[in-house]
Amino acid sequence: MWLQENKVTNLKLATAKINGLVLKPGETFSIWRLVGKPTKAKGFSEGMVLNNGSFIPGVGGGLCQLSNLIYWMTLHTPLQVTERWRHTHDVFPDANRTQPFGSGATVVYNYIDLQIKNETQHSYQLLIKVGESDLEGDWRCEQPLPQKYEVYESDHLITQEWWGGYMRHNVIRRKMFDLDNNQIGDDFITENHAIMMYEPMLAGGMEVL
């Protein structure tokens, strides 16, 4: 419980440094450039960190929830993700999952970052805060967007490995629609490969090889 409480503290400190950011054309957003090194001297506490498949306490733990949300929101904009690292382990089953597996982004100070470049002609503002029960955020543009986005997964596969465990694989893609809901694009975003930290369930159309 204390690790969860500390995570909330860490998220509040980090979002305070990011909330309200205006990303102008040609500029690049970097989580670590804005948040800096999370240290106890800056008020950060020990939160839960996933390290090589194990949960351990670490100063600044829980900030991956921030990078996950910003990455997911960015996929629904024309902004370009120029640096993103996938999680190496799939921690939780799909029962309570609200987004496709592999649609997050991990961060580790200071060499694993999330960076986003504004290659459009308009400025974007990042609004993000810790709400009553959730981390909340939004990218806002000074001009209405001429298209909408739908992020989905394809090529979902579970493989049993030689060492006895399982790995999960998929591809993240993005459909684009104009304001009349006509599809105008379907782009590859990324592919994911992660070690599963739970026994796979064979329901839901998953295939195990």
Side-chain angles (χ1 to χ4, degrees):
M1 177 62 72
W2 64 274
L3 289 176
Q4 179 68 17
E5 293 174 352
N6 287 353
K7 180 184 76 170
V8 173
T9 297
N10 294 337
L11 287 171
K12 287 181 177 179
L13 289 170
T15 54
K17 296 177 178 292
I18 293 176
N19 182 49
L21 165 83
V22 175
L23 192 64
K24 298 178 181 179
E27 293 183 340
T28 297
F29 162 90
S30 160
I31 279 190
W32 292 130
R33 191 180 303 148
L34 292 169
V35 174
K37 184 177 182 179
T39 64
K40 289 186 177 180
K42 296 178 181 177
F44 288 92
S45 303
E46 287 192 337
M48 187 168 62
V49 174
L50 179 62
N51 182 30
N52 292 324
S54 299
F55 290 107
I56 61 173
V59 176
L63 294 186
C64 280
Q65 187 172 345
L66 177 61
S67 58
N68 285 340
L69 177 60
I70 295 175
Y71 177 68
W72 176 252
M73 295 191 306
T74 302
L75 294 183
H76 294 81
T77 74
L79 300 174
Q80 297 297 311
V81 177
T82 56
E83 181 178 349
R84 173 259 182 182
W85 298 82
R86 63 176 179 246
H87 294 273
T88 58
H89 292 72
D90 185 27
V91 182
F92 303 110
D94 284 352
N96 297 314
R97 198 188 298 269
T98 58
Q99 299 168 197
F101 152 69
S103 57
T106 187
V107 288
V108 179
Y109 186 86
N110 63 349
Y111 58 95
I112 294 181
D113 199 3
L114 174 65
Q115 296 195 15
I116 299 157
K117 186 174 183 180
N118 183 359
E119 296 182 348
T120 76
Q121 300 300 312
H122 305 290
S123 295
Y124 282 75
Q125 184 178 37
L126 178 59
L127 300 178
I128 196 157
K129 68 175 183 178
V130 179
E132 290 295 325
S133 59
D134 297 291
L135 187 62
E136 305 168 1
D138 191 21
W139 276 113
R140 296 187 179 179
C141 183
E142 60 186 358
Q143 295 289 333
L145 297 182
Q147 66 273 338
K148 299 180 291 185
Y149 300 91
E150 177 187 325
V151 179
Y152 70 101
E153 69 172 339
S154 66
D155 303 309
H156 192 185
L157 181 68
I158 293 174
T159 56
Q160 187 167 18
E161 302 300 316
W162 61 269
W163 38 267
Y166 295 87
M167 289 197 68
R168 189 171 185 175
H169 318 266
N170 77 350
V171 170
I172 299 296
R173 300 187 63 88
R174 181 174 68 175
K175 294 179 181 178
M176 290 173 286
F177 301 87
D178 63 22
L179 298 184
D180 293 322
N181 288 323
N182 299 308
Q183 185 172 332
I184 56 176
D186 189 339
D187 296 335
F188 169 87
I189 299 296
T190 190
E191 62 181 42
N192 297 288
H193 310 279
I195 298 172
M196 298 178 67
M197 295 179 63
Y198 54 90
E199 287 294 319
M201 300 293 291
L202 302 184
M206 295 184 187
E207 182 180 2
V208 178
L209 295 180

